[in-house]
Amino acid sequence: MAEIEKPLPQISPLTQPFWEAAANKRLIIQRCSNCGVFVWCPHPSCTECGSDQLEWKPVSGHGTVFSFTIIRHVLERRGRGFENDVPYIVAWIDLDEGPRFCSNVVNCPVDKITIGMPVEVVFEETGGGIFLPKFRPR
Ligand SMILES: [Zn+2]
């Protein structure tokens, strides 16, 4: 039976700028030129005012942990590829610029993570030119 590898992002024309920036270790988020809000996840139009005038803007990569969970067991086939990572942290990160971002917190023992912990982005190479934004304590 073939081993199932970790799923990777499906890159679309909409999300391609994000992944190109990530491959250069830059975090960019869409910002609405009409009302000024940052929009995440990528959208064709602003989630606040509906404008289609969205521009990709670099953000600091700094944020704080809003909430988290610790994955200690991997169940069923869909989890394969992650079994060597347990225990690991999945967290909602509130970026300093506003958007709430779901990712892993890395370089952090699972018993040390706290809500409100300051974190910064790091980029994890997955192969195939795709770099995943993750966060570490700062
Ligand atoms: Zn807007």
Side-chain angles (χ1 to χ4, degrees):
M1 185 177 298
E3 192 65 28
I4 297 175
E5 296 181 1
K6 289 180 183 177
L8 289 173
Q10 305 261 325
I11 299 175
S12 69
L14 177 64
T15 62
Q16 188 170 5
F18 176 84
W19 295 112
E20 287 179 354
N24 290 299
K25 304 195 173 177
R26 295 172 57 239
L27 187 64
I28 61 173
I29 303 280
Q30 287 177 309
R31 187 167 190 231
C32 177
S33 299
N34 185 50
C35 74
V37 303
F38 282 94
V39 175
W40 181 257
C41 302
H43 280 264
S45 60
C46 177
T47 53
E48 284 295 311
C49 74
S51 168
D52 63 358
Q53 301 301 306
L54 297 178
E55 295 181 290
W56 290 98
K57 297 286 189 187
V59 293
S60 65
H62 286 184
T64 55
V65 174
F66 169 75
S67 187
F68 67 90
T69 189
I70 299 168
I71 308 298
R72 298 181 189 275
H73 301 281
V74 174
L75 303 174
E76 303 176 352
R77 287 178 57 78
R78 82 185 86 171
R80 291 205 182 156
F82 292 90
E83 58 274 88
N84 292 330
D85 296 345
V86 294
Y88 64 92
I89 301 164
V90 177
W92 285 107
I93 308 298
D94 282 343
L95 297 177
D96 285 0
E97 292 80 5
R100 184 165 289 160
F101 201 95
C102 188
S103 186
N104 297 124
V105 175
V106 297
N107 299 338
C108 179
V110 295
D111 60 346
K112 297 296 185 209
I113 187 166
T114 58
I115 289 172
M117 172 184 275
V119 292
E120 64 185 0
V121 72
V122 292
F123 293 91
E124 183 179 282
E125 186 170 13
T126 64
I130 296 176
F131 288 70
L132 299 177
K134 299 193 173 187
F135 291 82
R136 67 181 176 201
R138 64 176 160 95

